Amino acid sequence: MDKNLGQSDLSDLRSDCDNCFGLCCVALPFAASSDFAIDKDAGQPCQNLQSNFRCGVHTNLRNLGFRGCTVYDCFGAGQKVSQFTFSGIDWRQAPETAKQMFELLPIMRQLHELLWYLNEAISLLAVHILHDSLHDTLHLSIAETERLTQLSPDLLMEVDIVTHRAEINTHLLRASEAVRAHALIQYKDLQRRRKNYERGADLIGAKLRGADLRAANLRGAYLIAADLTAADLRFADLIGADLRDANLSGADLTNAIFLTQSQLNAAKGNANTRLSASFTYPTHWIHGI
């Protein structure tokens, strides 16, 4: 198979607020909590959204009680819906499109998130292990997911996103298992004591300071407010793990599998936390904002 088939431009999977119609600030609901200072219904513009679709308090969101906004990542779905699906015509210009535009954002976001994971899986296999059959499957999955993102608004509304996610997840799990098994060759001391948790494991507030979690299965784990100070998470599968307020100070997350920037943004850490080069250190880690 041509290895260029189905590869995505990763820049398209990163948020570009300059080319979005402020969709996340309108489409998504939120409730007054530690993450949001106010209540807002789905489809209701946030009070901070300006006429140019920019956030009026973007540089001060955490101090004003909108921490949740600093964590959210649309994986580029906002600009895709704005500029491609609706051809650059915003919901103020064409109010009759607003309802459908807002409903499509979560669907497109899930498709773009899957594209992000699929591309990472291909990169991981290419770097750490030769697995041609799975490599080809991942490329085909990218091509199909890309095709879905290019559907018309009406057809996009009909996509069975649950079934599609489930199918893609089987491929991502195979990739994770292959890469983690390859890592065990390097970490021979882990053969008998590697940590594997059931998907969605309840590790809320868990005391995991200094824990050896290399190549661990932490898929979908609830690690809210867990103490992961100085933990070793190299090659751990963190897809879907909830890291809100988890303490990652001094932890080693280099080569963590399926880790996202939004997960890091939701956690606590410091300059001693070790990350792969593709990530940036959240501002509140460094400045305590």
Side-chain angles (χ1 to χ4, degrees), residues 185-241:
I185 298 174
Q186 175 182 350
Y187 303 129
K188 294 182 179 179
D189 59 313
L190 281 179
Q191 292 287 349
R192 296 182 179 179
R193 56 188 180 85
R194 180 173 58 152
K195 294 287 186 181
N196 282 304
Y197 297 93
E198 294 293 326
R199 185 178 180 90
D202 184 356
L203 297 171
I204 296 174
K207 306 302 182 183
L208 296 168
R209 176 183 289 265
D212 187 346
L213 295 169
R214 288 174 295 168
N217 181 1
L218 289 165
R219 296 169 66 86
Y222 291 96
L223 286 159
I224 301 168
D227 183 4
L228 289 161
T229 304
D232 192 340
L233 289 150
R234 286 175 291 173
F235 291 102
D237 186 343
L238 292 167
I239 194 168

Side-chain angles (χ1 to χ4, degrees), residues 139-194:
H139 275 286
L140 289 171
S141 296
I142 287 178
E144 172 59 14
T145 305
E146 288 274 17
R147 184 189 70 81
L148 294 178
T149 70
Q150 297 168 9
L151 293 174
S152 67
D154 289 342
L155 291 178
L156 192 53
M157 288 289 293
E158 297 177 5
V159 170
D160 185 348
I161 193 66
V162 174
T163 298
H164 187 66
R165 283 192 72 101
E167 179 181 342
I168 296 299
N169 189 59
T170 62
H171 307 324
L172 297 177
L173 180 58
R174 285 179 61 200
S176 170
E177 290 174 341
V179 173
R180 288 185 292 122
H182 186 70
L184 289 181
I185 298 174
Q186 175 182 350
Y187 303 129
K188 294 182 179 179
D189 59 313
L190 281 179
Q191 292 287 349
R192 296 182 179 179
R193 56 188 180 85
R194 180 173 58 152

Side-chain angles (χ1 to χ4, degrees), residues 46-113:
C46 175
Q47 64 183 26
N48 299 314
L49 184 66
Q50 302 178 112
S51 59
N52 63 354
F53 301 117
R54 303 295 176 267
C55 175
V57 296
H58 179 72
T59 59
N60 204 27
L61 285 167
R62 281 185 171 267
N63 287 337
L64 293 175
F66 291 92
R67 183 177 66 163
C69 298
T70 68
V71 172
Y72 179 76
D73 184 355
C74 75
F75 291 95
Q79 68 261 23
K80 184 66 170 284
V81 171
S82 298
Q83 302 300 330
F84 182 87
T85 311
F86 287 89
S87 305
I89 301 173
D90 68 67
W91 49 273
R92 286 179 176 143
Q93 291 175 283
E96 69 279 6
T97 67
K99 183 176 185 296
Q100 188 176 49
M101 191 181 298
F102 301 154
E103 290 176 350
L104 284 176
L105 177 65
I107 297 173
M108 186 70 80
R109 183 194 180 278
Q110 291 188 69
L111 292 173
H112 272 222
E113 182 182 23

Side-chain angles (χ1 to χ4, degrees), residues 235-262:
F235 291 102
D237 186 343
L238 292 167
I239 194 168
D242 192 336
L243 293 173
R244 283 178 293 170
D245 289 326
N247 191 344
L248 299 174
S249 298
D252 190 346
L253 291 103
T254 53
N255 295 314
I257 300 172
F258 301 133
L259 178 67
T260 66
Q261 185 67 49
S262 60

Side-chain angles (χ1 to χ4, degrees), residues 29-46:
F30 49 75
S33 62
S34 60
D35 288 326
F36 296 100
I38 60 173
D39 293 314
K40 190 189 83 64
D41 294 329
Q44 172 190 345
C46 175

